[in-house]
Amino acid sequence: MSTTGSGGGEMRLDAMAATAGTKVLVVDDEPYITELLATTLRLAGYDVLTAGSGAEAVRAAASGNPELLILDIMLPDTDGFELCRRLRLDRPRLPVVFLTARDSTEDKVRGLTLGGDDYVTKPFSVAEVLARVQAVLRRTQGGPEESSALRCGDLVLDEEAHEVHRAGRQLELSPTEYKLLRYLLVNAGRVVSKAQILDHVWQYDFGGDAAVVEKFISRLRHKVDAEGSPLIHTVRGFGYTLRPAKG
């Protein structure tokens, strides 16, 4: 295992103050990884719980009520994807950062479709994991938005109800599809690149897989544009845009 531990001591004091007391559950069956992350997160001001298996994670989540989950996919007694699904039944908005050696696009899409907020592959930098955790918490624990609804033509995203409707018909979106559509709506009429989408939807501050964006745009198109004029458009060589249908 070539995980690097540099960068943990560079945490700024204001960032530590913002994260003080935030409870994080780290689930990994490699004791070295668990201890490294737990120590670094504690030094950064987090309150850390650890688990080495799915069963331990279920017990820790029930008793400790964590505010964010760092989750390995390959656990000795269960699949991390299944564990994420199980924990999300009781807490559908629990932020999840997957941490795994499985780096295929299919695995990333699966993890993010389940509602994972980020996906970090091993070997990793501790500084990177800290930055991803901070970014996810900023996004999921931020203050209320100025408006509870975003609109483009007959497409409406209600942020208070966490629902999306097109021409009065409710769309069933995964958490990641919802976040992607919200970003497109916030930037309606503007072209956003794959890199911008990765940075704002998945907070890939250290680079990400553009193929993930393509797959999720395709999935979103099938739902948003299934029974109406196209709203999501590809601008070749630049990215994507969401704009009202003509006519």
Side-chain angles (χ1 to χ4, degrees):
M1 188 71 195
S2 57
T3 301
T4 59
S6 62
E10 299 175 0
M11 179 69 64
R12 294 180 50 168
L13 292 177
D14 55 350
M16 291 179 65
T19 60
T22 301
K23 192 172 293 185
V24 177
L25 172 58
V26 178
V27 185
D28 198 298
D29 64 333
E30 297 182 65
Y32 167 72
I33 297 296
T34 304
E35 184 60 28
L36 174 64
L37 288 174
T39 300
T40 305
L41 288 165
R42 288 181 181 124
L43 288 172
Y46 294 93
D47 184 3
V48 184
L49 306 170
T50 62
S53 68
E56 290 179 9
V58 170
R59 291 194 293 270
S63 62
N65 197 29
E67 297 166 77
L68 182 137
L69 177 66
I70 298 178
L71 177 61
D72 188 12
I73 292 176
M74 294 180 287
L75 296 170
D77 58 344
T78 188
D79 177 88
F81 292 136
E82 180 58 35
L83 178 59
C84 176
R85 186 183 295 110
R86 180 177 177 182
L87 294 176
R88 278 286 181 82
L89 290 176
D90 295 326
R91 299 185 56 190
R93 296 191 180 182
L94 174 66
V96 177
V97 176
F98 285 108
L99 183 67
T100 177
R102 290 164 60 170
D103 60 357
S104 71
T105 298
E106 291 72 19
D107 283 327
K108 292 178 182 178
V109 169
R110 184 182 177 192
L112 296 171
T113 300
L114 285 173
D117 296 271
D118 211 335
Y119 194 106
V120 182
T121 55
K122 299 176 181 179
F124 59 86
S125 160
V126 170
E128 176 179 359
V129 175
L130 282 174
R132 300 286 186 92
V133 167
Q134 289 174 344
V136 168
L137 288 173
R138 283 197 305 269
R139 188 169 69 247
T140 58
Q141 296 183 349
E145 301 294 333
E146 293 181 1
S147 173
S148 64
L150 298 171
R151 303 173 184 271
C152 182
D154 58 358
L155 178 67
V156 181
L157 184 150
D158 187 330
E159 296 191 281
E160 289 187 357
H162 232 66
E163 293 179 351
V164 178
H165 293 81
R166 174 89 195 265
R169 177 176 62 90
Q170 184 170 345
L171 307 181
E172 297 296 330
L173 305 181
S174 72
T176 301
E177 290 166 349
Y178 178 91
K179 286 185 284 188
L180 173 57
L181 180 60
R182 184 189 181 284
Y183 182 64
L184 293 175
L185 277 164
V186 168
N187 292 280
R190 298 169 52 193
V191 178
V192 291
S193 67
K194 294 176 184 177
Q196 288 175 309
I197 291 173
L198 282 167
D199 184 51
H200 287 84
V201 177
W202 288 288
Q203 299 289 333
Y204 277 6
D205 298 318
F206 294 81
D209 188 346
V212 170
V213 176
E214 296 172 5
K215 287 181 178 289
F216 272 92
I217 287 287
S218 177
R219 295 163 68 103
L220 199 56
R221 273 199 177 109
H222 283 303
K223 296 182 179 182
V224 172
D225 294 338
E227 299 180 12
S229 301
L231 294 178
I232 301 173
H233 304 271
T234 299
V235 181
R236 297 195 179 279
F238 294 95
Y240 304 96
T241 185
L242 188 146
R243 59 174 179 259
K246 294 181 179 180

